[in-house]
Amino acid sequence: MRWITRPYARRLQWRIVMLFVGLLVVVQAASFLAIRRDLEVNARATIAQELATGEKVLRRLLAANAQNIADASTVLAADFGFRAAVASGDRATVADALDNHGARIGAEVAFYTDAASRLVAATTTHGDAAARALSGRMAGTAPAADLSLVAVIDQRPYQIVTVPVRAPQLIGHVAMGFPVGSALLRDVEQIAGLRTALAVRAGGAAWQVLPPADAAPADHDELATQVRALGMPSAAATVLLEGEQYAMRVAPLGRSGGTEAAVLLLQSVDDAVAPFRRLQLILLAISGAGLAVFTLGSIYTARQITRPIQALSRSAERLGAGDYAVPVAVQAQDEVRDLARSFEAMRQGLQQREQEIRRLAYWDTLTGLPNRAQFHGALLAQLASQKPLSVLMLDLDRFKHVNDVLGHAFGDRLLRQIAARLRSGGLAEHDLVARLGGDEFAVMLPGADADTAIDTARRLRTLLEQPLTLDDHTIDVSAGIGIAAHPAHGSEADTLLVRAEMAMYAAKSQPAHETGVMLYSAAIDSSSEASLSLLTELRAAVAQDQLRLYLQPKIAMATGAVVGAEALVRWQHPLRGMIPPMQFIPFAEQTGFIRELTGWMIERCSMRYAELQRRGIDLKFAINLSTRDLLDQHLPAKMERLFARGGVQPQALCLEITESAIMDDPERALQTLQSLHAMGLRLSIDDFGTGYSSLAYLKRLPLHELKIDRSFVMGMETDRADLKIVRSTIDLAHNLGLTVCAEGVENAQTWALLKALHCDEAQGYLMGKPMPETDFAGWLLDWHAPQARLRTEFAPFI
Ligand code: C2E
Ligand code: CA
Ligand code: CA
């Protein structure tokens, strides 16, 4: 596009100019040539005309001359003395008279012939010769008064005029001769504006130009040579004198005795053509000027035509390059203007569509936040700067539940509210909040290291935890937030996103009293090398029997009897020694390995149960279940098979489930719990007080026991608030028909307090730490219930 349209428009412009100018040049040249030819023809005709006129003038002058001479001769012819002399036949007297008379009128030649044209007398030898030359001619003709001829005498032309002499009848002729010379020719030159020269030739030979009697012109020899060379076969010819062209016309004067005389009339061609040349030049100048004006005009016109096209093609280029911002503004007329308008309409359409596409492509329509694509792009751009940054990924807890119970429209509005909270959540200007989809949000914190990101995450979580009221429903919102930091956890956008997500899932599966914020680490990453090897090791742990069952006694407070034990797992690692459960349970939950672990635990507990039974010890075993176990639809069936084999009875097992494990997917948890309950298993809610379970929900669960979280129990002796929480929890549990177990009893005063508050069971380091299963029977033998008196200060709280 770029390299076709614009040069094309430019070419178009030049083609228009070339066409116009080319046509004009052809027309101008044709008319110029035609005019030029006409002018030449005209010039030639003019020259011919002038030469003809010159000849006429010559003849007129000759005629006028002849008349003058004739008049003078007539006087002589009428002179009595002369006639008497003629009559007397006195030749000498006649010759005298001729001499006198001739001299008077300036004749060079004078002679008298008798009636039979015989020469009687002549003035000079010239006269003799002339008379002899003329006698032949005059003999045959009837002599007339105006008889005038030019005869060549001694290579010179003479005008001879003959008049009759009568007495009274014709007795002879008087003839007078004058040289045709410079005076006559000068007259011709002056009147006709021509150059002249005299020429003679003898009997068909080449013409010879005679030098004038006075000074010969400089180019005389040149003329003589050319005329001699020409031979003058025709009346008109051209000669070149001193570089100038002359048209020449031969005006014959006459002949005598085989010699011809003529006047050469010469007209300068250049002089004659000069006015035409001037005309031609003017014409040429006008043509040139016209051409120049026309060329400028056609360039202007072509510009007018092509400029809008160029502007259009520039617009098209911009549109092609995806720049829809600049309007198509083209100053044009007619079709081009219409085209420009169509272009503009097209541009606006494209621009709108592009904006719409951008909006759909980069913005979340529900919340108005940037979407995943935009977030990803921004992350890429930020990473390119090489500066540190953190990514938070945030997933709402129990959102599916809200959607199911309160409807999708409600869920949508909730998401919008949450988006608004996140946006106004005290984030910096350059921080970017996006909705990735569903109830998942992400925040990019440019410049933030892991610690700053953890602070921000905690702040956001606190912000979200403020209850939200929508349509009279008050919703407790909480979220798990995962963090991945650049460069610590990766330098690629995808890696950071995946790791932040992993951290988020880990945060959500944390025990509920944790913060709900988790920073990525290799340990939580089931795809990291460390985790892969950990998983392999865990599998090996089961196969190679490295897991250990530890038991922690549960005491009935009223009697002080050991009624059961909580089963807790330990990992006897061949290299790392005894590993506490918190170091691998979350990982096992994430990878799903927890199911195998739970299976191992149940298996192990039922074996120990049977062994203790054989010794006459009747204990209930409390086993911990995780979210994954609850979501495992095969769990009830697995239990069923266990009980079918005998050994352990359902009533002997208690399953401890945390609040958060239930609240992740309450409906499914409820189903599983109901099946387990139906089988006769006891169910206990663990870590009570740290989660967000609503009473309404608790009421629907088929529970037997409520375990107060050890954080409250451990603090109740020193912290009045904890004490109150414990007290009201015990009341609440009893009101719901549940037994209460307090875990984390570390001192006798706590024991006394709990007893006074009618707590049903207790568990803690005071009575017994978790111990290897094989030690339990021995421990039982030494067992004495704690004896403690409640301090009086607690009396008001009982
Ligand atoms: P939990 O279910 O709340 O287990 C009670 C924890 O409190 C045990 O820690 C126990 O040692 C500790 N504890 C008991 N009395 C006291 C006390 O007086 N003071 C103090 N400071 N702590 C006391 P443990 O064994 O490290 O287990 C930690 C958590 O690991 C358990 O918390 C449970 O959530 C999980 N867990 C342990 N074994 C298993 C298992 O087999 N399956 C599952 N799913 N989770 C397990
Ligand atoms: Ca437990
Ligand atoms: Ca617990």
Side-chain angles (χ1 to χ4, degrees):
M1 192 92 149
R2 181 173 297 274
W3 34 272
I4 295 174
T5 51
R6 267 201 279 161
Y8 174 78
R10 212 168 291 137
R11 279 209 309 274
L12 179 66
Q13 178 183 325
W14 285 117
R15 263 165 38 189
I16 293 170
V17 172
M18 300 299 256
L19 181 74
F20 283 8
V21 173
L23 280 176
L24 185 74
V25 166
V26 168
V27 170
Q28 293 267 52
S31 61
F32 181 79
L33 289 176
I35 290 170
R36 193 184 134 103
R37 204 199 55 221
D38 274 7
L39 289 181
E40 253 165 38
V41 169
N42 266 354
R44 284 187 198 293
T46 307
I47 291 170
Q49 188 70 43
E50 282 177 2
L51 290 174
T53 307
E55 186 172 344
K56 261 184 214 154
V57 168
L58 173 70
R59 300 222 181 275
R60 278 277 159 75
L61 289 176
L62 282 174
N65 238 5
Q67 191 57 51
N68 287 341
I69 302 166
D71 289 349
S73 304
T74 308
V75 173
L76 176 65
D79 183 70
F80 179 76
F82 180 70
R83 276 190 290 181
V86 170
S88 66
D90 179 359
R91 287 179 180 239
T93 313
V94 172
D96 265 359
L98 285 174
D99 221 9
N100 291 338
H101 208 80
R104 214 165 39 240
I105 60 170
E108 265 188 31
V109 181
F111 56 88
Y112 177 74
T113 50
D114 63 10
S117 297
R118 281 187 304 266
L119 183 66
V120 178
T123 48
T124 63
T125 45
H126 276 324
D128 292 345
R132 270 191 303 275
L134 288 171
S135 58
R137 272 187 67 195
M138 291 191 295
T141 51
D146 53 4
L147 181 71
S148 154
L149 53 87
V150 175
V152 182
I153 302 162
D154 277 352
Q155 298 293 311
R156 289 200 66 86
Y158 284 83
Q159 188 176 24
I160 312 278
V161 177
T162 311
V163 280
V165 182
R166 299 173 199 279
Q169 65 275 68
L170 181 77
I171 52 168
H173 286 91
V174 173
M176 299 278 179
F178 301 83
V180 177
S182 315
L184 178 80
L185 293 187
R186 251 199 310 282
D187 286 349
V188 172
E189 282 183 357
Q190 271 165 12
I191 294 169
L194 302 172
R195 268 190 70 170
T196 53
L198 274 176
V200 292
R201 65 170 176 179
W207 287 98
Q208 264 181 297
V209 179
L210 300 180
D214 40 14
D219 51 12
H220 169 77
D221 290 343
E222 217 179 344
L223 178 65
T225 326
Q226 287 188 52
V227 170
R228 205 170 26 252
L230 276 172
M232 295 303 291
S234 60
T238 312
V239 291
L240 205 66
L241 300 180
E242 295 189 320
E244 211 177 323
Q245 230 187 359
Y246 285 84
M248 186 167 76
R249 183 183 172 106
V250 182
L253 292 177
R255 84 166 57 218
S256 58
T259 306
E260 261 180 284
V263 173
L264 301 182
L265 298 163
L266 295 150
Q267 167 67 295
S268 158
V269 175
D270 289 347
D271 281 356
V273 168
F276 296 108
R277 282 272 148 78
R278 238 188 342 272
L279 238 142
Q280 271 183 342
L281 279 178
I282 291 170
L283 196 73
L284 200 67
I286 290 172
S287 296
L291 194 68
V293 169
F294 192 81
T295 304
L296 291 177
S298 44
I299 288 174
Y300 175 77
T301 310
R303 278 259 179 89
Q304 290 296 97
I305 295 171
T306 56
R307 196 182 290 143
I309 295 176
Q310 281 178 326
L312 274 183
S313 60
R314 272 194 298 275
S315 291
E317 269 174 37
R318 277 198 302 275
L319 293 183
D323 171 8
Y324 305 120
V326 184
V328 180
V330 172
Q331 309 279 304
Q333 269 126 39
D334 313 327
E335 288 84 351
V336 179
R337 186 189 51 203
D338 293 346
L339 184 64
R341 285 189 182 152
S342 310
F343 251 69
E344 173 61 10
M346 181 178 91
R347 180 194 67 79
Q348 284 174 5
L350 282 172
Q351 191 178 30
Q352 275 164 14
R353 243 165 294 152
E354 203 209 32
Q355 278 165 0
E356 181 64 12
I357 289 168
R358 259 174 200 284
R359 198 177 64 76
L360 290 176
Y362 294 110
W363 297 92
D364 174 47
T365 43
L366 178 67
T367 60
L369 288 178
N371 66 4
R372 185 185 284 273
Q374 193 184 145
F375 188 81
H376 196 267
L379 186 55
L380 282 177
Q382 191 64 37
L383 284 170
S385 75
Q386 306 275 339
K387 290 187 197 129
L389 66 85
S390 292
V391 175
L392 308 188
M393 205 169 293
L394 186 152
D395 187 275
L396 301 182
D397 295 330
R398 302 180 301 281
F399 179 71
K400 187 176 160 4
H401 174 58
V402 171
N403 247 351
D404 290 349
V405 175
L406 297 168
H408 285 268
F410 188 90
D412 285 353
R413 286 167 60 203
L414 181 69
L415 286 175
R416 260 184 243 140
Q417 297 265 349
I418 288 175
R421 270 193 188 180
L422 288 175
R423 224 179 345 214
S424 63
L427 293 170
E429 188 91 339
H430 55 265
D431 296 343
L432 181 72
V433 182
R435 178 179 174 223
L436 302 186
D439 58 346
E440 220 175 273
F441 295 85
V443 185
M444 178 171 74
L445 306 171
D449 60 7
D451 289 341
T452 319
I454 289 172
D455 287 347
T456 308
R458 291 209 174 117
R459 224 179 39 240
L460 285 178
R461 221 177 105 89
T462 317
L463 192 78
L464 287 178
E465 272 168 9
Q466 285 160 20
L468 217 147
T469 309
L470 264 180
D471 293 351
D472 301 335
H473 291 278
T474 300
I475 317 275
D476 283 323
V477 185
S478 66
I481 304 181
I483 304 166
H486 162 74
H489 304 136
S491 48
E492 272 164 33
D494 289 332
T495 314
L496 285 173
L497 284 172
V498 165
R499 295 192 161 175
E501 192 175 16
M502 275 179 203
M504 178 189 80
Y505 284 123
K508 283 171 77 81
S509 62
Q510 265 181 331
H513 52 269
E514 302 285 339
T515 58
V517 171
M518 180 76 90
L519 182 67
Y520 172 85
S521 70
I524 59 161
D525 184 351
S526 49
S527 69
S528 78
E529 239 171 80
S531 297
L532 281 176
S533 65
L534 185 62
L535 190 62
T536 321
E537 280 187 279
L538 258 181
R539 291 219 170 88
V542 178
Q544 294 164 19
D545 202 20
Q546 292 168 8
L547 295 183
R548 299 283 177 269
L549 169 60
Y550 272 52
L551 294 173
Q552 186 180 28
K554 287 173 88 174
I555 323 293
M557 299 203 84
T559 59
V562 178
V563 288
E566 178 172 3
L568 296 160
V569 71
R570 298 287 182 271
W571 182 1
Q572 179 63 59
H573 195 277
L575 302 174
R576 288 190 270 168
M578 199 63 84
I579 303 178
M582 285 324 286
Q583 286 186 17
F584 60 93
I585 293 288
F587 176 75
E589 282 179 342
Q590 249 168 52
T591 52
F593 185 77
I594 193 74
R595 289 181 197 169
E596 279 176 64
L597 197 142
T598 305
W600 178 87
M601 203 59 175
I602 294 170
E603 201 72 38
R604 195 83 204 169
C605 285
S606 46
M607 277 161 64
R608 180 51 54 191
Y609 173 81
E611 197 265 335
L612 289 172
Q613 283 284 319
R614 277 197 297 280
R615 295 214 213 169
I617 304 168
D618 186 29
L619 281 180
K620 288 188 179 11
F621 276 73
I623 299 171
N624 291 288
L625 287 193
S626 73
T627 311
R628 289 275 195 145
D629 294 316
L630 269 187
L631 300 181
D632 179 8
Q633 281 159 335
H634 306 297
L635 182 69
K638 278 186 207 161
M639 292 296 217
E640 203 91 65
R641 280 199 295 278
L642 178 78
F643 300 135
R645 276 195 309 216
V648 69
Q649 296 305 308
Q651 294 76 18
L653 294 187
C654 175
L655 301 179
E656 293 189 3
I657 307 131
T658 59
E659 281 176 90
S660 56
I662 295 166
M663 296 315 286
D664 268 353
D665 191 346
E667 294 302 321
R668 229 161 117 187
L670 187 63
Q671 266 183 9
T672 314
L673 291 179
Q674 271 163 351
S675 316
L676 295 171
H677 173 75
M679 285 160 57
L681 281 154
R682 289 171 63 83
L683 299 175
S684 172
I685 187 124
D686 204 352
D687 300 344
F688 188 80
T690 58
Y692 299 87
S693 46
S694 68
L695 277 179
Y697 233 84
L698 280 183
K699 223 171 64 185
R700 290 171 62 196
L701 295 173
L703 299 174
H704 294 92
E705 184 191 65
L706 191 153
K707 283 183 90 170
I708 305 176
D709 189 68
R710 60 182 182 273
S711 58
F712 302 112
V713 177
M714 278 152 45
M716 67 187 285
E717 192 206 346
T718 48
D719 187 325
R720 294 293 178 260
D722 282 350
L723 174 58
K724 283 179 193 165
I725 288 171
V726 171
R727 191 180 63 184
S728 54
T729 307
I730 293 169
D731 288 347
L732 172 78
H734 286 161
N735 289 340
L736 287 169
L738 307 175
T739 61
V740 185
C741 175
E743 61 178 11
V745 180
E746 292 188 342
N747 57 59
Q749 207 42 229
T750 306
W751 169 273
L753 256 174
L754 288 166
K755 197 171 173 179
L757 291 171
H758 307 293
C759 182
D760 301 288
E761 289 179 17
Q763 182 185 345
Y765 291 175
L766 174 69
M767 295 78 81
K769 289 192 170 184
M771 61 195 84
E773 52 176 330
T774 44
D775 295 357
F776 200 79
W779 174 85
L780 253 185
L781 292 177
D782 290 342
W783 166 248
H784 297 287
Q787 298 292 322
R789 183 172 298 166
L790 190 63
R791 291 204 296 270
T792 48
E793 60 186 282
F794 291 116
F797 298 98
I798 307 304

